[in-house]
Amino acid sequence: MPTFISNLPVHVMVVHAVVVLVPLAVLGSIAVVLWPAARRRYGWLVVVLAAVATGCIPIATDTGDALEHSLPRTDLMAVHTHLGDQLLPFVAAMFVFVTAFVALHQRNGTAARREGPGTMTAAPALTGGLRIVAVVLAALTVALAVVSGVQVFRIGESGARAAWGDVQYITPAPGHRPPDESD
């Protein structure tokens, strides 16, 4: 994969997919675990979203590694790289657990619909061992979602510091007009 396209770092473009998709997968995973109506309606959509988010992370990491080798190494960049390398296991595990959770509930709902035509029964509640499995999957999904969300924030914040840490922004005074280039 190229490091630059039209003099723009590919990492900067690709990382935006991670910054958007991982938090959406985090929120979606928490929603389908905690809200049965969301699980029935959007469960598999969240699984696909989590899969795509997980797939974008190695691309962002690879393009970041390529960019890192074309820039002077700094301590801030080292922190950003270290944090970025930690994200994939958290998001991948969240994806696995939310997939298992949705599949377990889908299987349970499918079993309820097999009772015959014309029946209007709700999906039976999970009982015994399946209930314990569902609770464990739910807890792991939520925990990994929270860790993934926090990690994305930490990576983004460290990346911003690495890229823009030495830039000073000055807010113009009210009524101040910036000079034109012709001035």
Side-chain angles (χ1 to χ4, degrees):
M1 181 168 284
T3 305
F4 294 92
I5 296 177
S6 296
N7 291 326
L8 293 173
V10 174
H11 178 70
V12 175
M13 294 181 275
V14 171
V15 78
H16 284 85
V18 173
V19 169
V20 171
L21 295 177
V22 171
L24 284 175
V26 162
L27 294 174
S29 295
I30 292 171
V32 301
V33 164
L34 299 178
W35 189 14
R39 180 181 320 127
R40 286 187 298 275
R41 181 170 278 184
Y42 302 111
W44 290 113
L45 179 63
V46 169
V47 167
V48 169
L49 178 63
V52 173
T54 302
C56 288
I57 294 169
I59 299 169
T61 304
D62 288 348
T63 58
D65 288 344
L67 180 62
E68 177 184 21
H69 296 302
S70 66
L71 296 171
R73 183 89 170 149
T74 66
D75 290 340
L76 291 173
M77 187 185 302
V79 169
H80 177 67
T81 302
H82 178 71
L83 291 173
D85 289 340
Q86 296 174 355
L87 182 61
L88 183 59
F90 297 125
V91 178
M94 179 189 72
F95 163 63
V96 168
F97 290 126
V98 76
T99 301
F101 183 83
V102 170
L104 178 66
H105 283 278
Q106 177 72 29
R107 178 186 159 274
N108 190 52
T110 303
R113 288 190 288 271
R114 289 188 191 141
E115 292 179 8
T119 58
M120 295 291 292
T121 60
L126 295 170
T127 57
L130 288 180
R131 183 174 179 85
I132 293 169
V133 170
V135 169
V136 169
L137 288 172
L140 289 170
T141 299
V142 170
L144 286 162
V146 169
V147 170
S148 297
V150 168
Q151 192 68 7
V152 166
F153 176 82
R154 292 175 66 210
I155 295 164
E157 191 271 338
S158 69
R161 287 189 186 276
W164 303 103
D166 59 347
V167 175
Q168 295 289 326
Y169 294 98
I170 300 172
T171 306
H176 179 265
R177 185 174 83 62
D180 290 337
E181 288 184 20
S182 62
D183 289 346

